[in-house]
């Protein structure tokens, strides 16, 4: 069943990019951190509820980076160093755009083409993660993940005391019991299942609108291997027996803290019995059926920023249209 097109993913995993050195050895050096923050060459990405400021420069989209003196006050997270430049994130309300408000936050990447060149626009990772260059995409993914963790881990799980940020934003310490708490990552498997006729299984969650389909996914449970999680999730969600899980790649999905691990697997049964709590509908698609459904508008696929889209296009053998 394996084809040459499946030897590697078609296209990059857009949220798995990055160029900076995370410089973990420097996180506990308080003197170096203060010196870096006082350096006017240091650059700061401001993050607010998963959004940052971006702007269009020609055909490119770039993150708006500030100097430390221009950045708003807020918790600071060391992101790393590249070519002698230190990068931080600051969790704070976004500075106003020239229009004086942020009510027009970008909801689709195409809308950036309608903004004046150089004008800051507030946007989220889903909207612009695939439009940014490698450095800025990596910075934004990192900042979004750290902000999400800090927002939900302000208090010690042992005693309830408010924790303090240390190590450049990579540890929270309880002042009462001295326990240390580190950013959490939840592994999740996401899998493209094929039957013996090389059809692809697509499904829709109960809260998704009709026509919005993707591949199956689920969190890895305690004491479970990735491969077993693939088999278990497919059986639980649609009642299909899957075998031979094959790993293809991973990318962070910080909504709020997932790491998506992509697999292909083969189905030995094809009767679909969806779990009503997890799946509203599921069906098998041949390549011809998928192309026709996309052409007619009856089906929409996850956006290119997702690993789901890359797995589907890898199975299909080329790029597809029809984003959510």
């Amino acid at each position: 069943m394996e084809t040459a097109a499946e030897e590697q993913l078609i296209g990059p995993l857009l949220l798995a990019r990055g160029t900076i050195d995370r410089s973990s050895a420097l996180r506990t050096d308080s003197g170096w951190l203060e010196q870096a923050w006082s350096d006017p060459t240091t650059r700061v990405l401001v993050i607010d509820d998963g959004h940052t400021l971006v702007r269009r420069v020609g055909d490119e989209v770039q993150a708006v980076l500030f100097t430390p003196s221009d950045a708003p006050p807020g918790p600071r997270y060391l992101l790393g160093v590249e070519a002698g430049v230190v990068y931080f994130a600051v969790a704070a309300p976004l500075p106003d755009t020239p229009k004086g408000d942020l009510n027009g936050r970008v909801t689709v990447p195409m809308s950036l083409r309608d903004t004046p060149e150089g004008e800051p626009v507030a946007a989220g990772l889903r909207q612009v993660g695939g439009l940014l260059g490698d450095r800025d995409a990596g910075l934004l993914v990192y900042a979004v993940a750290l902000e999400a963790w800090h927002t939900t881990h302000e208090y010690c799980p042992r005693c309830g005391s408010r924790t303090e940020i240390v190590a450049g934003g990579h540890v929270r310490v309880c002042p009462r019991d001295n326990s240390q708490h580190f950013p959490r990552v939840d592994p999740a498997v996401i899998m493209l299942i094929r039957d013996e006729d090389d059809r692809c299984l697509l499904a829709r969650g109960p809260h998704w609108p009709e026509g919005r389909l993707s591949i199956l996914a689920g969190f890895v449970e305690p004491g479970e291997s990735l491969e077993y999680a693939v088999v278990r999730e497919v059986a639980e969600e649609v009642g299909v027996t899957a075998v031979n899980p094959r790993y293809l790649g991973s990318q962070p999905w910080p909504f709020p803290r997932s790491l998506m691990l992509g697999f292909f697997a083969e189905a030995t049964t094809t009767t679909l019995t969806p779990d009503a709590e997890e799946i509203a509908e599921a069906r098998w698609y041949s390549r011809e059926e998928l192309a026709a459904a996309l052409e007619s508008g009856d089906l929409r696929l996850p956006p290119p920023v997702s690993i789901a889209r890359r797995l589907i296009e890898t199975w299909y053998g080329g790029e597809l249209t029809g984003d959510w």
Side-chain angles (χ1 to χ4, degrees):
M1 187 180 295
E2 186 174 317
T3 66
E6 294 165 12
E7 292 300 322
Q8 61 183 17
L9 288 168
I10 291 178
L13 294 172
L14 295 175
L15 299 188
R17 297 174 295 149
T19 62
I20 65 166
D21 179 347
R22 294 199 171 200
S23 307
S24 59
L26 298 173
R27 294 171 187 169
T28 57
D29 188 336
S30 58
W32 181 90
L33 289 171
E34 289 303 317
Q35 181 179 1
W37 186 254
S38 65
D39 189 333
T41 67
T42 291
R43 291 296 175 261
V44 182
L45 184 145
V46 181
I47 188 75
D48 177 18
D49 191 24
H51 286 71
T52 194
L53 294 179
V54 300
R55 60 187 167 205
R56 182 173 62 85
V57 180
D59 294 331
E60 298 181 353
V61 176
Q62 299 178 356
V64 177
L65 301 176
F66 297 83
T67 64
S69 61
D70 291 332
R76 303 199 300 250
Y77 316 139
L78 174 66
L79 300 180
V81 181
E82 181 185 56
V85 177
V86 182
Y87 293 90
F88 284 88
V90 165
L94 297 178
D96 287 346
T97 67
K99 293 182 179 179
D101 64 63
L102 298 175
N103 294 328
R105 289 190 171 191
V106 172
T107 56
V108 292
M110 289 295 290
S111 63
L112 276 171
R113 297 182 181 178
D114 301 326
T115 62
E117 183 170 354
E119 181 174 310
V121 178
L125 188 58
R126 282 188 173 94
Q127 290 77 45
V128 297
L131 303 178
L132 296 169
D134 290 353
R135 185 203 65 182
D136 288 357
L139 290 173
L140 183 54
V141 172
Y142 199 177
V144 168
L146 285 174
E147 183 203 27
W149 178 72
H150 281 286
T151 300
T152 56
H153 289 76
E154 294 183 79
Y155 298 92
C156 177
R158 294 183 178 181
C159 68
S161 298
R162 190 178 186 90
T163 54
E164 300 172 350
I165 298 174
V166 298
H170 292 77
V171 182
R172 295 189 76 105
V173 174
C174 176
R176 182 176 178 181
D177 62 23
N178 293 320
S179 59
Q180 294 184 335
H181 309 279
F182 299 86
R184 172 180 168 185
V185 176
D186 296 334
V189 290
I190 182 165
M191 43 277 181
L192 187 140
I193 307 301
R194 301 169 298 154
D195 68 4
E196 63 179 5
D197 295 322
D198 204 17
R199 295 182 301 172
C200 169
L201 176 60
L202 299 180
R204 175 173 67 88
H207 303 297
W208 297 1
E210 291 188 12
R212 179 181 290 184
L213 300 181
S214 185
I215 54 180
L216 302 179
F219 288 105
V220 180
E221 294 187 346
E224 184 176 50
S225 70
L226 301 178
E227 292 79 8
Y228 190 88
V230 170
V231 174
R232 175 185 55 77
E233 284 286 347
V234 174
E236 290 178 355
E237 293 191 349
V238 293
V240 167
T241 300
V243 297
N244 300 328
R246 186 165 70 87
Y247 173 76
L248 284 180
S250 68
Q251 78 168 9
W253 192 249
F255 306 109
R257 51 181 164 267
S258 296
L259 174 65
M260 306 302 295
L261 301 129
F263 286 83
F264 277 166
E266 302 165 11
T268 59
T269 62
T270 56
T271 299
L272 300 174
T273 310
D275 177 346
E277 293 186 1
E278 297 281 346
I279 304 295
E281 65 172 305
R283 62 162 291 184
W284 297 98
Y285 283 88
S286 67
R287 290 174 177 80
E288 294 74 20
E289 290 170 336
L290 179 62
L294 290 172
E295 179 68 23
S296 68
D298 292 336
L299 188 153
R300 310 293 287 178
L301 294 177
V305 75
S306 69
I307 190 172
R309 179 64 164 268
R310 288 291 175 251
L311 291 170
I312 294 170
E313 290 181 335
T314 299
W315 162 79
Y316 183 79
E319 294 184 358
L320 294 164
T321 59
D323 300 353
W324 290 354

